[in-house]
Amino acid sequence: MSLFRRQFNARCSQMMRTPSWFCVILIGSISAAELSAQDQKVSYRRDVRPILAAKCFACHGPDEAAREADLRLDEPEGAYAARGEASAIVPGKPSESEVWRRISSNDEFERMPPPDSMKSLPEQERGILKRWIEQGAEYETHWAFQAPQRPEVPSLDDDSWIRNDIDRFVLSKLRKADLQPNPEADRYTLVRRVSLDLIGIPPTPEQADRFVADDRPDAYERLVDELLASPHYGERWARRWLDLARYSDTNGYEKDRPRIMYPYRDWVIEAFNSDLPFDRFTIEQIAGDLLPDATESQRIATGFHRNTMLNEEGGVDPREFRFLAMVDRVNTTGTTWLGLTIGCAQCHTHKYDPVVHSEYYQMMAFLDNVNEPTIKVANPEIERQRQEIQTQLEQMQAALASKFPLPEQQENSTLNFSEEELRERHLAQEFEKWRQQNRACFVAWTMLTPERIETNLPDFTILDDQSILISGDYTKNDIFEVELKTDLNQITGFRVEALPDESLPFGGPGRGYIHAGVEKGGEFFLSEIHFFERNEPADEWNKRPISEARHSFARENRPSEYAIDGQTDTGWSISPRTGERHSATFRLAEPLANSSGTLRFKIRLEHESFHPSGLGRFRISVTDQGGELGAFDRPLAIDRLLQVEPDTLTDAQRAELKKFFLETTPLLAEEHKKIETVRQSMPEYPTTLVLQERNPEHHRTTYRHHRGEFLSPREPVEAAVLNVLHELPSDVEPDRLDFARWLVSRDNPLTARVVINRHWEAFFGRGIVKTTEDFGLQGELPTHPELLDWLAVEFMERGWSLKSMHKTIVSSATYRQSSVISDRKLQLDPENVWLSRDPRVRLEAELIRDNVLAISGLLSRKIGGPSVFPPQPPGITEAAYGPLEWKVSEGEDRYRRGLYTFNKRTAPYTMFSTFDAPSGELCLARREPS
């Protein structure tokens, strides 16, 4: 083995971007304020506001409810206003300013901050405040709330070190700090560094050798372009985005059952690989369903906000959970795009940032008007398999006539017939017998269009086929009251058809997930059903007893009879046969006579369970016939054909009836089992959770919640953006799509800065604004404000292309420095604030494992697909309250990248937890390495 290969493998094994042999003890750092200590002008934004925010704003800030003495110091209008004989601040005159008198007083009853606040102002801070008042007490708008403008690039005498404009900003700061940049790292270090940063896995020794031997002037640029074009680029950057999206493979909370969300994860990977412009990347995730002719891909993108946890605990109120989910979505949006701690305004006006309590709920209103369906996702391979199986099924069904049994005994008159002729004669005889029997027991049902519907919460739509489609919110005790009328002479019974629908979980016919887990939805639980007649003169409803119930299918121990037993803890349900049509018929104890020509009545359906379990789509019919009210699980078209006179049946109608007979007759039970076995092998399409805008008729009203409490809704609010930022266009009725476009508007002062700062942090271990999650007034000031603005403007002007910005960053001399640290640099700049060297950064948890697998040659390069279960100590996921059997994946799936490892929120993959990976429960802008 060559010397290089031994050195290279040794470096790889250390799990560091560059090797580190010692711990750095933080002995201090240089702040922006210290760099400008020689400046004569005191800056409110840089010097004064941090002091007031830490010591004064809790009592004299934006929050009106917490404000003392009606004094507001965070804006000039409040600070300058006269109060009796004095003003809090008199510009240019500290001696006449009540603020200065109070903070310099020795009287403990007058001194501010008061002693019981446990806060104090050191002499240095008092001096800054005094100088600021002397200089005119000028207030400045917070830097992050001003739209970034392209700054002038610094002009330097000696620019031999510089490779692009990033270096000009960095070198200008280095010279002010009396520091010099490091020389460029050696080529082996560079190829490893840039590979890990751009695609998250190290180069092979062959790839590294090839780069080192490449003496072309643009060798490094070629390497960068190759890495940016790699499909693994999307994997590396998707992992960081999924921290923000709080991505996981389970629902969270107590039961923490599995969910299917990997199509969203794969969408993110593809979005990064295709360099989807970040403004479009944002719009599709926030409001892809609202785009004109929204594609499946754009709908999948809305899974960003379906990553919210789902609480399936028996004691939870679904409406309260939904409110908390909305809180999570608002907070996540604020962190991800605005870099603000908006969550502080859930309960009260923000103590430090200019975000009003009501604005929090106005922002929520944009996200509130949605339904949350599960959709099937197209998959070419599954489509191919399904077509093959469907063809096989059709062939087997077409062959049923040839499989029909021969008669057990043959008459003398049939002895001369062939076996085929005997089979045809027997089939014809049995078919006619079936047709006559079913025609004789046929009950004529009259389908009715509802006159009026009331629900306790869900929305409803009456469809063209007279069925009722339920949507929107739900409870654990959904109640539907349907008023109807008929001109039949009497009503002897009624029928409830439970109908499948694509808008329902797994096709319905229910909206619940009870007893079968989220991935087996479509269940319902009809606990009680009641029938009422309308007493017109008395204007009241009289309950009529129901004597009998029949069903086409019922779950074991959950028959339709339980829906009329007076017990709400029993009822009719149909799992596991979800996605199918079912029916139940109910006989009245006494026929209800029609004495006035129009008979008015209503049916009340109650769904009470530990979990939401209401019907999703149903239809009501009535009959005036006596006799057997059987509930047949037959298509309506077949029922109608059975009533056609035999002589008038067309060939097509007769063929349709015969086909149904062959597919259901007990005489072919063995063949049906074979067909069902093949049908069960039909692979299902993957599903994913998405957002869908509600019908305008069912617009949800959003309220301000007093003190942030679910049970304390106050006045309704309309959708609106934060006043401190730019406005929405005045000519729109704002919806979620307008909000998404507002987030990535060129006028938005935050988004471009926040996003590019997070990506800078990914390369350098520290953002230009260290508090990547907080660009507000309590966040840290940018160390290189002009560079941040230059990057933000470049980002937008380059069409929001992240690949372009990544190439610019890794091509800079700043990035290509060696990581060697001198004693002087360690003393002057221990945190590498001024970027005089490349940082030593520990790899993220998933990348540590990927690195080991890549070095060993085991790493699978497969892209996308369902999450996998690599080896880990036994019992980890089983120990959680909602146990999950961790069945270790076989073959190459054992060695997939960490991005694809199944994440159970309550029991994450142990190795990743050890290295500070998040659980996916909350939005995370910055991992804190231990």
Side-chain angles (χ1 to χ4, degrees), residues 10 16 55 70 160 223 269 298 365-366 436 473 511 537 619 642 674 700 786 811 886:
M16 307 288 281
K55 307 296 174 66
D70 195 29
S160 58
L223 171 65
I269 295 171
Q298 289 165 341
F366 283 113
Q436 291 177 4
D473 296 336
R511 304 176 72 205
R619 181 168 53 203
L642 284 169
K674 295 176 185 177
R700 180 182 284 115
E786 295 82 9
S811 298
W886 190 271

Side-chain angles (χ1 to χ4, degrees), residues 257-277:
R257 289 172 171 155
R259 63 166 51 162
I260 300 175
M261 278 302 294
Y262 73 82
Y264 167 75
R265 178 246 288 147
D266 291 353
W267 179 89
V268 176
I269 295 171
E270 175 57 27
F272 278 108
N273 276 334
S274 64
D275 198 21
L276 184 67

